[in-house]
Amino acid sequence: MAGSSAPRIGVLALQGDVREHSAVLRELGCEVVEIRLPAHLDGIDGLVIPGGESSVMDKLSRIFGVAQPLREAIAAGLPVLGTCAGLIMVAHHIEDAIAGQENFGGLDVTVRRNAFGAQVDSFETSVTVAGMSGPALEVAFIRAPEVTAVGPGARVIASLADGRVVGVAEGNIIGVAFHPEITGEDRIHRMFLNVVAQRSLQRPVALDA
Ligand code: GLN
């Protein structure tokens, strides 16, 4: 973010609802970069991993050679917002993964894929998010994962009325099981941009010679 006021946010653009996330981010004043190749990661302040299909994102990210650079960038502290399949991509453990499915890691949680049923079982509901003011979030669940275990490093940030965990955070990473980007909701993205802004403040400032 140094030298420019607009945060430069990558959206992993291999598959999934890239356009919807990009629109919310632009609306919030970000410069959006679509990420498909390792070179696209240069200079980004944060990354959004959209919803879609995690097993396909996994395969494509390996084919395009971006999986390992992403894994390293996330481990080094790159702020990430993962939604739905994007949450699956950053979880440490995946239940009901397809054979050989890999991901990027980052969040000390276990997620269960398709925990809320098939596409036809999609629904919209309200979600309470810790520390978020205003009305409850109205969001969509589409073949969504559930967080089934939260390790000591991670914390719960969102749950359903029945107690099921649908949002977690750890360090610079936020993962939510739902889609905040298709119901006109921007507070999860704002929360993420706060993480991005705080991280850029912590970076050493280059002093002019
Ligand atoms: N079930 C999908 C998966 O496993 C996620 C669905 C979504 O992102 N809407 O990746």
Side-chain angles (χ1 to χ4, degrees):
M1 216 151 32
S4 121
S5 53
R8 191 175 157 88
I9 305 297
V11 178
L12 188 62
L14 299 167
Q15 188 268 338
D17 63 340
V18 175
R19 242 191 322 176
E20 291 79 357
H21 276 288
S22 301
V24 178
L25 290 166
R26 284 201 186 95
E27 194 66 32
L28 292 173
C30 301
E31 180 194 345
V32 175
V33 186
E34 294 196 352
I35 308 288
R36 294 188 190 83
L37 297 170
H40 299 158
L41 295 170
D42 287 350
I44 58 168
D45 298 304
L47 174 75
V48 172
I49 308 179
E53 174 50 52
S54 57
S55 58
V56 176
M57 272 184 222
D58 165 38
K59 281 185 192 144
L60 292 176
S61 66
R62 285 192 266 160
I63 290 168
F64 282 65
V66 77
Q68 189 54 27
L70 262 178
R71 205 167 278 135
E72 287 164 15
I74 295 169
L78 178 71
V80 176
L81 169 61
T83 67
C84 205
L87 163 61
I88 298 170
M89 294 307 294
V90 290
H92 279 179
H93 306 285
I94 309 173
E95 290 172 20
D96 295 339
I98 68 159
Q101 182 169 352
E102 296 178 7
N103 72 353
F104 310 137
L107 272 180
D108 186 12
V109 299
T110 302
V111 294
R112 185 154 64 89
R113 291 178 66 231
N114 304 324
F116 295 91
Q119 191 89 12
V120 288
D121 302 315
S122 299
F123 60 98
E124 282 186 29
T125 190
S126 39
V127 168
T128 314
V129 179
M132 189 172 275
S133 55
L137 291 190
E138 290 298 323
V139 292
F141 285 75
I142 305 168
R143 287 189 307 125
E146 179 189 352
V147 180
T148 52
V150 181
R155 65 182 199 282
V156 174
I157 60 161
S159 19
L160 292 175
D162 64 7
R164 292 211 260 179
V165 175
V166 292
V168 277
E170 175 174 353
N172 295 325
I173 308 175
I174 298 171
V176 294
F178 46 83
H179 289 260
E181 73 286 359
I182 57 179
T183 47
E185 179 57 65
D186 67 8
R187 283 174 288 170
I188 293 287
H189 292 80
R190 286 175 188 272
M191 182 191 260
F192 169 61
L193 293 175
N194 279 338
V195 174
V196 171
Q198 276 168 20
R199 177 160 191 260
S200 73
L201 287 177
Q202 284 156 13
R203 261 188 236 157
V205 178
L207 297 174
D208 289 329

